[in-house]
Amino acid sequence: MKIYFIEKQKFTQWWMWVILIGLAIMPIYGIYEQLIMGNPVGNHPVSNLVMVITTLFIFGLIYFNWYITLITEINSDGIKMRFIPFLKKDISWSEVESAQIVDYGFVGYGIRLGSKYGTIYNIKGGKGLALKLRNGKRFVIGTQKETELITELKKINIPTTSYN
């Protein structure tokens, strides 16, 4: 099995990380003031246990967003898509009816249901590989490397069009 294309995407939007890190500052300050310095935080301070649980939750959320990864692999057998930690799809070329690079616009991040292209798996941007399978299912795998993706699909004789 020859691999023609691999793309690994993670959330790298600066504004999202500013928000997440900003959220982390609040419980760190609370833990410092209330647990270390002994000064209750606010007019109605929460218990130390609630403060620790909140901090762990926020840092868990930060880790979760760092962990999410969209991996697309095009090989001689088909397409492998991993949206870690949610799902994985292995599609053989015999299952693919059509492949098209589309500009679906911004629909949000993550897994988006109900677009005209079917389900969209997106980490960033608004372009992706729209696949229609012989069984009628349709979905889009987001990409930041649409030109390279088209080039590699043509090498293995998968007819692909760009932008509908």
Side-chain angles (χ1 to χ4, degrees), residues 11-22 106 109 123:
F11 287 119
T12 58
Q13 295 84 339
W14 65 269
W15 56 268
M16 185 181 80
W17 289 105
V18 167
I19 291 169
L20 289 171
I21 291 169
F106 179 75
Y109 303 118
I123 291 283

Side-chain angles (χ1 to χ4, degrees), residues 62-74:
I62 291 169
Y63 174 76
F64 182 70
N65 279 282
W66 172 82
Y67 183 69
I68 294 173
T69 309
L70 176 61
I71 303 171
T72 307
E73 178 184 304
I74 306 291

Side-chain angles (χ1 to χ4, degrees), residues 2-3 6 12-13 24-25 40 50-51 64 70 85 119 125 140 146 154:
K2 182 175 179 189
I3 296 173
I6 294 180
T12 58
Q13 295 84 339
I25 291 171
V50 169
M51 179 108 26
F64 182 70
L70 176 61
T119 304
V140 176
E146 65 271 6
K154 285 180 180 176

